[in-house]
Amino acid sequence: WKPLNHEVLMRTRSDKVRPKMLGLKVVRHMVQQLKEEYVVLLPETIPFLAELLEDVELPVKTLAQEIVKEMETLSGG
């Protein structure tokens, strides 16, 4: 899952909103499907989400916040 996760996360660094949103949606889907298995990917994922939480586009920021909440629930945070 690590190579796929990395490629998806790299899409979130686009200058355009659409690739960021699609990347976040794929991350969310992976979190929801893999559940505990996704925890090993958190160290790589968290810095990307931290950047997206500061995004100027509200939909990107909002979706990133929702994913962070899901990850906190998953990791017991």
Side-chain angles (χ1 to χ4, degrees), residues 3 10 14 53 62:
M10 291 308 291
S14 171
L53 289 172
T62 303

Side-chain angles (χ1 to χ4, degrees), residues 5-67:
N5 192 56
H6 181 75
E7 281 301 315
V8 169
L9 290 171
M10 291 308 291
R11 300 296 177 254
T12 67
R13 291 212 166 136
S14 171
D15 293 334
K16 298 185 173 100
V17 174
R18 184 171 163 74
K20 288 180 188 180
M21 291 297 289
L22 290 173
L24 281 169
K25 288 177 182 179
V26 172
V27 168
R28 173 187 251 177
H29 187 73
M30 289 174 66
V31 169
Q32 292 170 344
Q33 296 304 310
L34 295 175
K35 300 191 185 316
E36 289 79 19
E37 289 180 62
Y38 194 85
V39 173
V40 297
L41 302 172
L42 289 180
E44 179 183 25
T45 305
I46 289 170
F48 285 88
L49 286 174
E51 285 177 23
L52 294 165
L53 289 172
E54 303 297 321
D55 200 273
V56 294
E57 296 291 338
L58 187 59
V60 172
K61 193 184 291 193
T62 303
L63 185 53
Q65 289 169 341
E66 291 171 8
I67 294 169

